[in-house]
Structures are given as structure tokens and as C-alpha cells.
Amino acid sequence: MDEAWLQELNKRNLALEGEDSSKWDYAIVSVSSSVLNKLSQQEQAKFELTEFKRATNEIEHWARVEEICDFFGVEDPDLAGDVYVRKFKNITIEEESRWMDLKDINEEIPEGFGVKIDRS
């Protein structure tokens, strides 16, 4: 896979001397292990293993179960795998599209799954 776009993003992702990182426009990219495996070992190492936030009530619990199943493209949350996250600053629409192009696709979910981007 050509990772030139990702290397450009990595260059912009570094904090400049004296820069206030709290003012960055962050995007958090979450990927499943199958999507992570599409990246080089060097890029994989930049992601951190994370967990879905725990639910505080039953309604939230079922919403989380649905979110997990949608993210992993499974019907049973026990079949879900690990989630890996990484923050990027100033991600462009084109770069966001590149991440979305990495989604896994199957017959049941032709729009893809395994990649989620949250902007802060």
C-alpha cells in the first residue's frame, strides 16, 4: 500500500517548538485490527490499543453494543476485536477519505466498517 499520504500527515502531526497543542484541531482515527494490519509495521506502532467506553446504564449499554457491532461488522459483540486509536492534527478531507478507503467490506456491509474518525 502506498503510504505517501500518511507520511505527509505524519510530518504535520509533529508539535512545533513553542506550539500549544491544546489549540490543535484534532481528529481521532479509530481502526480495527484488520484495518491496522493494512498499514506498515512502522505505522501500526504509532497506534494505541484502546477500549470502548463502558456504559453507565442499560440504554447506554445496548447503544454501545450496537456501536461495537457496527464498527466491527459483526452481529455478536463477542466477535468484536481490538480497537486502535491515534490522534492527528489538522487532518484534511482528502486524508479522511484515505482512511475511509481502508475500511473492510463484506456482502452484509458493502459501505464498509473498521474505521471511525471523530473530530474534536
Side-chain angles (χ1 to χ4, degrees), residues 35-119:
V35 171
L36 185 71
N37 287 334
K38 295 177 184 180
L39 302 174
S40 67
Q41 291 289 328
Q42 181 181 5
E43 290 301 324
Q44 288 179 31
K46 296 174 184 174
F47 279 79
E48 294 180 21
L49 180 64
T50 190
E51 293 182 8
F52 276 93
K53 197 170 80 180
R54 295 211 180 275
T56 57
N57 60 48
E58 191 167 345
I59 293 170
E60 197 175 291
H61 166 77
W62 290 112
R64 292 268 184 265
V65 167
E66 186 176 342
E67 178 186 7
I68 290 167
C69 289
D70 288 349
F71 183 80
F72 287 101
V74 297
E75 291 186 23
D76 181 350
D78 291 336
L79 299 175
D82 292 325
V83 178
Y84 298 85
V85 297
R86 184 170 174 209
K87 278 186 176 181
F88 291 97
K89 73 174 184 177
N90 305 326
I91 192 169
T92 67
I93 298 298
E94 182 181 328
E95 290 160 344
E96 190 171 322
S97 178
R98 293 275 195 152
W99 282 112
M100 293 304 180
D101 288 346
L102 293 174
K103 285 183 175 182
D104 289 322
I105 296 172
N106 64 24
E107 289 178 17
E108 293 85 37
I109 309 176
E111 68 274 11
F113 55 92
V115 176
K116 181 178 172 190
I117 299 175
D118 292 317
R119 290 183 176 268

